[in-house]
Amino acid sequence: MSSYFFIGVAGVGMSAIAQYLVGKGVEVRGSDRQFGEFLAGKCEKPKVMAQLEDCGVKCFAQDGSGVVEGLDAVVVSTAIEDTNPDLKRAKELNIPVMHRSEMLAKISKEARTIAVSGTSGKSTVTAMIYHILDYAGLQPSVMTGAGLVNLQAQGKIGNAVSGKGEWLVVEADESDGTLVRYEPEIGLILNVDKDHKEIYELEDIFLKFSHNILDKGNVLIVNDAHPLAKKFSAGREFDFGFESYVSVQGTDFKSVGTHIQFRVRHKAELVKFEVPLPGKHNMENALAATAAALRAGVSLHTCADALSTFPGVFRRHQILGTFNGVTLVDDFAHNPAKIAASIRSAQDFSEGRVLAWFQPHGFGPTRFLRKDLVDFIAKALRPADIGEDRENDVMFFSEIYYAGGTVTRDISAGDLADDLIIKGCEAVYIENRMECAKKMVEYAKPGDTILLMGARDPSLETFAKSVAELLKNSK
């Protein structure tokens, strides 16, 4: 039996691969810093540790104790440094070390793989494709960067399923440049927007990814509605978008409360879709998933039926409820394009204003994206509408999330608020996020929507629940 050790196994990308391998009969061990705190009696057992153990992963403190002779390899992510005790132990024992992306590339070569790439929407599209194939009875596998809500409701992490069928759907990340390692049977490029890297760097990465697919005679599907993604098109008979010449065309978009309706044209068929998610960007996501599912042999009508029951993805414009007339939404949005799309999605169903809150992550990324963040947010926020008797949308910020390490702290989230005010937008900066939440709840009126946005910080889910409690107790 093959056996692997994952350093940082609680991470969303690492845990997905670990769960998948266990489901295929592989022995998997793993460590995480938070496991060590529990094993030393310093905290309660982390939920993710219990979930991993339940599915068969053996969990250890990150102290080298779990790395033993006989392992096929030790798997690491880009975040693991050479000083890590587990990595040092692996080198002492001459155990091969693999990057997470190398393991994912290895797995993808052993299955019929659909790889979803792009700077926005990967988790949602990956989940949608999996949901369609599963609905069609194909028993697919999936590895993604966010939990499916229906799987989480069963007590699982929700970001991986090891199915019995031949198809594997994976989220392929460009942020660390490892996208170039994948050679899927079906590959998707959803969009290319400035995020972790400059546009010219991203274009080079996506170009190599596209060559990996096309050089093997496999299928590349791109979003013809996105100018930069469109550059990688290998032929419009594979693409999706809004123009009549693409293979999968979306038309007649309509927002109906927190749902969207539209029609999809493919060859001679024209089928009505209804997806229980808000926002026109989710129409693009649904078109992408449909294009991939069609290539996997699923009918257009089955795609429509499946997506009408799509359960959603954790913290991807997740509507947590309406409390005292105010709707609360939690979202993973963190780059300029995602934030603008999330604000516009909330505007589609909000009866009143959108009170948006954003906690940037990392001083370097915030400095890198400052101008783009301000420009995109300023264009998305609505001014007051006298005719509709609606006041203007408001942007709230709390201080940048700091995950540790050596960093130059020469920028603040308050700088983003100041930049927006100069542009004529209403923006508020309150360093402490609970104090900021209290101000938002105090500011909110029935019909308004509070939209929470941020990434990387594992406490954001708890923060969203705290905001919900504040709304419940508001008058």
Side-chain angles (χ1 to χ4, degrees):
M1 178 190 294
S2 298
S3 60
Y4 296 95
F5 188 94
F6 284 71
I7 305 177
V9 71
V12 65
M14 298 286 268
S15 65
I17 300 175
Q19 293 170 87
Y20 172 84
L21 289 174
V22 168
K24 297 300 181 184
V26 176
E27 180 184 349
V28 177
R29 297 166 160 245
S31 68
D32 204 86
R33 283 181 295 181
Q34 58 182 305
F35 299 171
E37 293 287 307
F38 163 70
L39 293 170
K42 297 180 180 179
C43 67
E44 294 184 359
K45 191 171 190 176
K47 181 180 178 181
V48 67
M49 183 177 180
Q51 291 170 318
L52 286 167
E53 288 177 336
D54 285 345
C55 75
V57 177
K58 299 176 182 178
C59 297
F60 297 85
Q62 208 164 88
D63 58 5
S65 61
V67 181
V68 296
E69 292 182 350
L71 290 168
D72 287 274
V74 166
V75 184
V76 300
S77 69
T78 306
I80 303 302
E81 299 177 344
D82 290 339
T83 55
N84 183 283
D86 289 331
L87 184 54
K88 290 172 70 175
R89 181 60 177 159
K91 291 178 178 178
E92 289 171 4
L93 296 175
N94 293 316
I95 298 171
V97 177
M98 297 178 67
H99 189 274
R100 176 193 60 80
S101 62
E102 291 179 286
M103 174 58 79
L104 187 55
K106 178 180 182 295
I107 291 170
S108 68
K109 290 177 181 177
E110 298 168 356
R112 299 188 71 186
T113 300
I114 301 172
V116 182
S117 77
T119 46
S120 300
K122 293 187 294 292
S123 295
T124 299
V125 174
T126 301
M128 282 180 167
I129 296 171
Y130 166 75
H131 184 70
I132 294 171
L133 300 186
D134 187 57
Y135 185 92
L138 299 180
Q139 297 183 286
S141 298
V142 66
M143 286 184 274
T144 185
L148 278 69
V149 171
N150 60 329
L151 296 179
Q152 290 181 328
Q154 299 171 26
K156 300 176 182 179
I157 299 175
N159 59 346
V161 173
S162 185
K164 297 179 180 179
E166 59 183 355
W167 286 105
L168 166 64
V169 191
V170 301
E171 180 175 334
D173 191 15
E174 82 293 333
S175 63
D176 57 3
T178 55
L179 179 64
V180 300
R181 289 180 171 152
Y182 306 127
E183 301 172 351
E185 182 171 333
I186 300 173
L188 291 87
I189 299 178
L190 306 179
N191 38 56
V192 183
D193 291 301
K194 187 175 179 180
D195 191 350
H196 305 276
K197 300 178 184 295
E198 294 285 2
I199 291 294
Y200 73 89
E201 296 177 285
L202 290 169
E203 287 186 313
D204 184 55
I205 291 168
F206 284 107
L207 180 62
K208 291 176 181 175
F209 174 65
S210 66
H211 282 318
N212 287 351
I213 297 167
L214 298 175
D215 289 351
K216 290 186 173 295
N218 292 334
V219 174
L220 177 66
I221 299 169
V222 307
N223 182 0
D224 228 55
H226 191 284
L228 291 182
K230 185 177 179 179
K231 291 172 62 174
F232 301 100
S233 175
R236 291 165 176 168
E237 69 273 18
F238 299 112
D239 297 347
F240 65 94
F242 307 129
E243 302 294 337
S244 59
Y245 53 71
V246 295
S247 174
V248 179
Q249 179 198 12
T251 66
D252 305 322
F253 173 82
K254 183 180 180 181
S255 179
V256 184
T258 57
H259 291 201
I260 54 174
Q261 293 177 352
F262 52 94
R263 295 195 296 173
V264 177
R265 187 188 307 278
H266 175 64
K267 296 182 178 178
E269 291 187 289
L270 184 63
V271 176
K272 182 180 178 180
F273 277 59
E274 179 165 352
V275 181
L277 295 174
K280 193 170 184 179
H281 69 288
N282 274 316
M283 175 184 178
E284 289 185 48
N285 289 338
L287 292 173
T290 298
L294 289 168
R295 290 291 163 184
V298 180
S299 73
L300 186 60
H301 281 279
T302 299
C303 291
D305 291 343
L307 288 178
S308 69
T309 65
F310 182 62
V313 182
F314 175 65
R315 295 204 67 239
R316 271 38 176 201
H317 217 87
Q318 188 174 6
I319 297 174
L320 302 182
T322 299
F323 312 99
N324 285 318
V326 179
T327 300
L328 180 63
V329 182
D330 190 21
D331 196 59
F332 187 74
H334 58 279
N335 70 29
K338 290 178 182 177
I339 291 170
S342 191
I343 292 172
R344 291 191 176 105
S345 294
Q347 290 167 347
D348 280 348
F349 63 81
S350 184
E351 295 178 4
R353 302 165 298 171
V354 172
L355 309 180
W357 174 87
F358 177 49
Q359 176 186 272
H361 67 276
F363 291 89
T366 305
R367 190 185 312 111
F368 177 64
L369 293 171
R370 177 175 177 173
K371 183 180 184 303
D372 298 272
L373 283 167
V374 171
D375 289 346
F376 274 69
I377 292 171
K379 290 176 182 176
L381 295 175
R382 297 172 302 183
D385 191 318
I386 305 302
E388 294 183 6
D389 195 27
R390 188 199 68 239
E391 300 174 57
N392 50 283
D393 295 333
V394 185
M395 191 74 212
F396 290 82
F397 295 94
S398 294
E399 193 49 281
I400 296 167
Y401 171 66
Y402 172 58
T406 303
V407 64
T408 303
R409 304 191 190 193
D410 58 353
I411 190 170
S412 165
D415 295 323
L416 303 179
D418 290 342
D419 291 349
L420 282 170
I421 291 170
I422 291 171
K423 285 181 171 287
C425 301
E426 186 171 350
V428 178
Y429 166 69
I430 300 176
E431 180 179 359
N432 180 278
R433 68 185 186 188
M434 279 311 301
E435 292 304 314
C436 194
K438 292 174 184 176
K439 179 60 68 175
M440 284 191 291
V441 170
E442 176 187 321
Y443 204 73
K445 301 176 182 178
D448 288 346
T449 295
I450 292 180
L451 168 63
L452 308 177
M453 297 178 287
R456 312 304 181 208
D457 181 351
S459 68
L460 284 169
E461 178 184 8
T462 302
F463 173 64
K465 291 178 180 177
S466 298
V467 178
E469 288 302 314
L470 287 174
L471 284 169
K472 290 176 186 176
N473 297 322
S474 65
K475 295 182 180 179

